[in-house]
Amino acid sequence: MWNRRKEDDFVPKPASVPPTQSQLAQEGIPMSTLSGRSLDSSPQQSGSSRSANIGKSVTIKGQILSREDLTIDGEVEGTVEAQENRLTVGPNGKVVAGIKAREIVVFGTIHGNVETTDKIDIRKDAKLIGDIKTARIVIEDGAYFKGNIDITKPEVVRPAAAAAAPKPQPVTTTPASTTPSTPHVATAAAGSANDVKR
Amino acid sequence: METRNSHGLEQFCASIQEPEGLSILDLAGANQSTVTFITSLGHRIYSDDVLRTLESVYGTDDSSVYDPPHMAKFLEQSLEFPENHFDGALVWDTLQFLPPQILQPAVDRLHRILKPSSCMLALFHAEENLAAVPACSYRIQNSRTIQLTPRGGTRKAAQHFNNRNLEKLFQDFASVKFFLTRDHLREVIVRR
């Protein structure tokens, strides 16, 4: 309790223990070189629950484009984009880059401008030097931040526009019985979900 | 943790009520409360911890030589913005901890980066013992209330200011308004 380290707050997503080669051979499971990722490719496991890690002894220079949640605990220089996903900069992470992500959690250091569509969370002992454009921001005491904060307002469907648009069909709550909806209905639903969230 | 009613803050907030989208400078470091308050008004906030930058440029050693290259580096790192960039500045008590050699250049820089008619809120300690002023962060709770949160430790104020000193310090600004307070923290609203 008393000697609590900075890293203690940072809990990376649990990585599955890779099976040994003999176990795989016994079970007839194909081998994978992707560490920290489940080999089970069932629908529940894929999608948003997937996460990639850049370890603390890794240095990357260039452009990173991620379509899954990403944790950087090493050094990255360049640009990082995870538009639909969450980016976590671990306590050992040092990112010198422009970043775009849905959500960013910072335990380490970022030098560069940051843009999120949802939220940025700057934790205690984190350091961020650069401009932030985000919908929501959390700054813990002890974090260091230098730069501009620009809060972007979420797009809300205007009543006039909604009235002019054709009435959407009622949406049932049972996923199995949901009928394919028009693009406009999908947009409105996303808008109202945002409203509830805020 | 201590809260205080602030007429200086009230006047500052009145000056930034509208329109939305103003740029506000905060020199005492980012904190959730102030960021939330300013952004909820629809404004942008630029945060920096000027005293931390001062320490990073000069170190904590009092014997540092305040030579022109170091001064230029400090001003470049902390107050390098285009002219007439900000619509208001929350300076809090930072000016009192700047060494005399840097103080006037920093105030001149503030004059340059603030828009005409914009306001700046500054606080000055009037304690007897300026060698050990408790270090704290200032957080806006609402348009009339400031929360003082101790940061731990003390800071040595560079100098004591009376009204005449302050008028001289801000002589290039349009006006300087002092607010009477019951404690040892003097509130000043300076209009560009």
Side-chain angles (χ1 to χ4, degrees), chain B residues 95-162:
Chain B
L95 294 179
Q96 196 154 19
F97 299 98
L98 296 183
Q101 299 90 330
I102 297 174
L103 180 63
Q104 194 62 55
V107 171
D108 291 345
R109 193 62 76 96
L110 283 167
H111 182 270
R112 210 178 78 186
I113 63 180
L114 282 168
K115 287 180 184 169
S117 307
S118 60
C119 280
M120 179 165 83
L121 173 64
L123 308 176
F124 292 90
H125 298 271
E127 279 109 324
E128 301 245 324
N129 185 14
L130 287 174
V133 177
C136 61
S137 74
Y138 299 90
R139 297 150 192 247
I140 301 178
Q141 277 198 328
N142 57 51
S143 60
R144 292 176 182 181
T145 315
I146 302 172
Q147 186 184 71
L148 282 69
T149 307
R151 280 182 159 179
T154 57
R155 279 203 182 107
K156 184 182 175 186
Q159 55 189 302
H160 178 267
F161 290 94
N162 56 32

Side-chain angles (χ1 to χ4, degrees), chain A residues 39-119:
Chain A
L39 293 171
D40 185 353
S41 59
S42 62
Q44 289 89 349
Q45 291 281 323
S46 63
S48 62
S49 65
R50 290 169 61 182
S51 173
N53 286 297
I54 295 172
K56 62 181 176 184
S57 57
V58 179
T59 301
I60 295 176
K61 288 188 180 181
Q63 184 182 15
I64 295 177
L65 186 61
S66 179
R67 291 193 183 86
E68 58 190 280
D69 289 353
L70 175 64
T71 299
I72 299 174
D73 210 25
E75 291 185 23
V76 170
E77 197 179 317
T79 58
V80 181
E81 282 190 40
Q83 297 272 25
E84 304 294 324
N85 298 90
R86 180 161 86 160
L87 170 73
T88 303
V89 177
N92 301 298
K94 191 178 175 187
V95 179
V96 183
I99 301 174
K100 285 183 181 177
R102 174 176 55 80
E103 183 183 341
I104 300 174
V105 184
V106 193
F107 293 89
T109 302
I110 296 177
H111 280 248
N113 296 339
V114 166
E115 200 173 323
T116 74
T117 48
D118 185 10
K119 186 176 96 168

Side-chain angles (χ1 to χ4, degrees), chain B residues 43-56:
Chain B
H43 304 324
R44 284 184 294 274
I45 182 167
Y46 186 96
S47 292
D48 187 13
D49 189 339
V50 164
L51 297 180
R52 183 167 165 158
T53 307
L54 186 76
E55 278 181 16
S56 73

